[in-house]
Amino acid sequence: MRRSIATVCVSGTLDDKLTAAAAAGFDGIELFENDLVVSPWSPAEIRDRCADLGLSIDLYQPFRDFEAVPREALELNLRRAARKFDVMAALGVNTMLVCSSVSPDARDDDALAAEQLALLSAQAAERGIRIAYEALAWGRHVSTWDHAWRIVRAADHPALGLCLDSFHILSREVSPDGIAGITPGKIFFVQLADAPHLRMDVLQWSRHHRLFPGQGAFDLPGLIRTIKASGYDGPLSLEVFNDVFRQSDPARTAVDAMRSLIALEDRAGLRPLPLAPALRGHAFTEFAVDGGTGPQLREALRGLGFAHTGQHRTKPVELWEQSACRVVLNSAVTRPGVAISAIAVSTDDPAAALHRAAALRAPAHVSAHGPREISLASVTAPDGTDVFLTGPAPDWRADFLPTGENAGTGLLDTDHVGLTQPFDHFDEAGLFYHSVLGLDRLATAEFAAPFGLMRSRALVTAGRQVRLALTVALLRRGEWAPGVPEPQHVAFSTSDILAVAARVPRRLAIPDNYYSDLAARFALADEAVEPLRRHGILYDRDAHGGELLHFYTPVHGGRVFFEIVERRGGYDGCGEANAPVRMAAHRHLRLSGR
Ligand SMILES: O=C(O)c1ccc(O)c(O)c1
Ligand SMILES: [Mg+2]
């Protein structure tokens, strides 16, 4: 099926939008009338530009407030349409979207609507044009797909069919199942948008919060299968109204859009992708450090019982280990400060994983390597983190000469990596990790932190060998909230957090008030709370009785910290409930200058 994108999805001038759509590999576009109206190009020039870019114009839209009007108004509406048909002829586009009327002048009269749409379609047909009728979820009298279908059927004109828009369908209670029974050939166009579950006015929901497929909560694979069952094989076209995308780099948004569509086609069984790699675990986490932050991280790692076990043969890169916990400190990357520059996950078949990534528009690159180094391929996530895919054996360790240092014990493995995201790319990052690495998304959590509302979402393998925790500040306004980005972190697992805490010299101090509250909230005995208080260990318990005990280090280099976690009884979260406490404690430490 052809892949299209509505010009409304991306930012910029019409030229910016077309260039972005073509570069991302779309076959066609839906031309939004506004984008035409503000363009300095004539319709014929737009047609030529699209042809040069290899894009077809699959739809002209929207034509509003046409049907079920009094006679006098009908004349005007038909004349208005004729002018649009002229424009469409010059553009070389043969399908016009007519969305259900929102006008107070429209009558609640299906027979009248059908009669007038048939008239419009007859005039369109003379020009070789088809009319695709779409029920807006907030249409005055027609607001569901089945109502629009009844009218189209009654009008019974070959040039009249339906435009199905996943948002209007899935935002309403009417089941989409009947779509499979729509007369073959009568679905003229399909528009796709996802959206988060929100309880708000449906028009506001649609105009501001649509997302690309896979970024929201709608069952789009299910809907596509239903639509396919009707015999539809026209374009699948993304139509997303989103305040963030309207302001973002169109080239980047178009790639995000294309990735969403490719992933959806896979999930709907239309075009299978190479299987998502079975991830075995976190192989290592790489920090880019500089002359100032390198020593701070070394000291922190030593404090946690890590040892500098390997030195890279050719680069200023150190391997630090303890059991299966591995951290790479890279001073070869020339960026100031410190940041998590890469995560590495192991899989049985890195080549297949990279193949899938490339199919999802995440091309692999191989870092420069010398003759004795094995090549590790990586893909770059939207947040700039490089994701290395290693084989099951840690053969990349051959790049490092052993130093002979021995690590302590107590820490077992990497539990999760916490990556903070800029607001504008949170959904893009979620889709990337979900589709490229095949990670499942757990429910989103929101919590009020000292400097604003935070949202977090964990992405995990089914067996929890890999966990990523993405967090984002929902607003960044004014001068008050700290301008620095929220720090990133790596969490290591242990089965004896009290013993580990007793050995780690620099732990984040947690206020006494937290422990009073904890005892009250979870009805914990003093004997249970006392050791937690003594060591600055935080606690959480889930609905099934699973428990998390965890503590933090201070923030190092202003940007990164470590966490130690002990999970008991199948606790599956990342301790999000305690994030505000952690943030306030980090802030307190920062203000006290320690
Ligand atoms: O928000 C709107 O008005 C609007 C217009 C055209 C569409 O196809 C649509 O889904 C919504
Ligand atoms: Mg639509």
Side-chain angles (χ1 to χ4, degrees):
M1 290 167 103
R2 297 168 51 73
R3 296 168 177 152
S4 287
I5 184 166
T7 53
V8 74
C9 296
V10 292
S11 186
T13 63
L14 183 57
D15 192 18
D16 294 329
K17 293 168 187 241
L18 298 179
T19 308
F26 283 95
D27 303 308
I29 57 145
E30 290 176 39
L31 183 57
F32 253 71
E33 194 166 85
N34 275 356
D35 289 314
L36 167 86
V37 171
V38 303
S39 171
W41 294 336
S42 70
E45 285 169 331
I46 294 173
R47 182 193 57 210
D48 292 345
R49 178 70 181 143
C50 286
D52 287 347
L53 290 168
L55 293 168
S56 57
I57 309 179
D58 296 326
L59 188 79
Y60 184 82
Q61 81 134 321
F63 191 70
R64 298 184 191 273
D65 297 333
F66 172 78
E67 79 281 19
V69 290
R71 301 286 151 204
E72 326 75 74
L74 175 67
E75 281 310 308
L76 283 171
N77 281 352
L78 286 172
R79 245 178 290 154
R80 181 160 62 92
R83 305 286 285 268
K84 297 303 170 190
F85 295 158
D86 295 338
V87 172
M88 289 174 65
L91 286 165
V93 46
N94 68 5
T95 308
M96 180 163 89
L97 181 147
V98 173
C99 48
S100 60
S101 181
V102 300
S103 165
D105 298 334
R107 305 237 172 104
D108 186 8
D109 184 339
D110 286 3
L112 187 64
E115 179 193 320
Q116 296 183 348
L117 282 166
L119 255 178
L120 175 69
S121 303
Q123 295 197 1
E126 284 171 22
R127 312 284 303 262
I129 287 171
R130 310 189 305 169
I131 303 295
Y133 184 51
E134 172 188 55
L136 294 180
W138 55 89
R140 187 159 181 90
H141 302 296
V142 179
S143 59
T144 58
W145 72 267
D146 59 327
H147 194 176
W149 172 225
R150 282 198 301 280
I151 291 172
V152 165
R153 218 166 15 181
D156 191 24
H157 194 286
L160 180 65
L162 283 177
C163 170
L164 295 182
D165 178 322
S166 65
F167 180 87
H168 300 301
I169 296 170
L170 299 175
S171 62
R172 304 293 310 250
E173 291 80 42
V174 179
S175 160
D177 295 347
I179 289 171
I182 290 175
T183 311
K186 276 303 203 184
I187 301 174
F188 283 3
F189 205 75
V190 171
Q191 296 174 317
L192 298 173
D194 205 339
H197 283 312
L198 293 171
R199 288 204 169 270
M200 67 189 302
D201 172 67
V202 71
L203 183 146
Q204 300 298 333
W205 186 15
S206 174
R207 295 252 173 102
H208 301 282
H209 301 283
R210 288 192 185 204
L211 291 168
F212 291 123
Q215 296 177 339
F218 288 167
D219 175 18
L220 291 172
L223 181 66
I224 301 242
R225 279 191 288 268
T226 310
I227 290 173
K228 277 296 283 181
S230 79
Y232 178 77
D233 70 350
L236 292 180
S237 186
L238 299 169
E239 190 202 24
V240 167
F241 307 84
N242 180 293
D243 298 342
V244 170
F245 301 161
R246 280 185 194 275
Q247 294 192 335
S248 308
D249 172 359
R252 182 167 173 172
T253 309
V255 171
D256 185 28
M258 178 54 86
R259 180 174 302 133
S260 78
L261 196 47
I262 294 170
L264 176 62
E265 289 169 354
D266 172 56
R267 294 212 296 147
L270 298 180
R271 264 193 257 205
L273 283 170
L275 282 186
L279 301 183
R280 300 286 171 213
H282 290 271
F284 62 83
T285 309
E286 181 192 81
F287 292 80
V289 293
D290 66 11
T293 56
Q296 292 181 46
L297 278 231
R298 285 185 200 101
E299 187 202 327
L301 288 168
R302 266 201 215 291
L304 292 170
F306 278 73
H308 174 200
T309 52
Q311 181 62 41
H312 198 278
R313 293 170 189 277
T314 58
K315 295 185 220 163
V317 177
E318 300 168 7
L319 173 63
W320 288 70
E321 290 179 290
Q322 179 179 166
S323 313
C325 313
R326 301 186 198 93
V327 167
V328 166
L329 299 185
N330 188 342
S331 340
V333 186
T334 47
R335 62 170 126 169
V338 54
I340 293 180
S341 45
I343 60 172
V345 289
S346 62
T347 163
D348 291 343
D349 193 349
L354 293 168
H355 196 51
R356 177 182 174 91
L360 284 159
R361 302 296 193 269
H365 42 88
V366 176
S367 46
H369 57 94
R372 294 200 54 199
E373 299 163 40
I374 56 158
S375 66
L376 267 188
S378 65
V379 294
T380 303
D383 57 17
T385 308
D386 282 327
V387 180
F388 287 103
L389 289 148
T390 77
D395 45 3
W396 53 272
R397 287 172 89 260
D399 291 359
F400 294 88
L401 290 171
T403 62
E405 278 189 38
N406 289 320
T409 54
L411 302 187
L412 303 174
D413 205 344
T414 301
D415 182 89
H416 65 268
V417 179
L419 297 170
T420 47
Q421 305 290 315
F423 179 75
D424 287 3
H425 300 297
F426 185 71
D427 296 311
E428 179 188 355
L431 176 68
F432 176 91
Y433 288 115
H434 171 59
S435 62
V436 172
L437 297 183
L439 297 177
D440 297 329
R441 287 166 294 192
L442 302 184
T444 338
E446 280 176 14
F447 49 90
F451 299 96
L453 206 62
M454 305 288 297
R455 178 177 293 166
S456 93
R457 177 157 222 181
L459 289 116
V460 298
T461 52
R464 307 300 190 258
Q465 299 92 337
V466 170
R467 279 190 169 93
L468 302 178
L470 307 187
T471 52
V472 63
L474 288 185
L475 279 177
R476 182 64 77 198
R477 296 275 159 78
E479 302 298 314
W480 161 243
V484 291
E486 275 299 327
Q488 307 165 306
H489 75 281
V490 184
F492 302 109
S493 59
T494 177
S495 58
D496 189 353
I497 196 159
L498 291 177
V500 173
R503 284 201 295 269
V504 172
R506 293 195 66 207
R507 301 183 310 273
L508 181 65
I510 302 299
D512 270 355
N513 293 343
Y514 170 78
Y515 294 99
S516 316
D517 175 64
L518 195 65
R521 245 187 320 140
F522 292 111
L524 294 178
D526 288 350
E527 308 84 78
V529 175
E530 201 35 48
L532 304 182
R533 183 203 310 268
R534 193 163 56 240
H535 294 301
I537 294 172
L538 298 112
Y539 176 88
D540 190 28
R541 189 160 72 207
D542 66 22
H544 316 286
E547 297 172 301
L548 181 75
L549 287 80
H550 57 148
F551 73 84
Y552 298 99
T553 69
V555 174
H556 308 291
R559 191 70 214 287
V560 299
F561 63 90
F562 296 104
E563 179 183 6
I564 308 301
V565 307
E566 180 179 343
R567 294 173 185 277
R568 295 180 183 166
Y571 182 95
D572 201 26
C574 289
E576 293 84 353
N578 290 324
V581 184
R582 194 270 302 157
M583 287 174 181
H586 272 149
R587 173 69 171 175
H588 186 71
L589 196 61
R590 191 181 156 90
L591 291 181
S592 66
R594 274 178 290 146

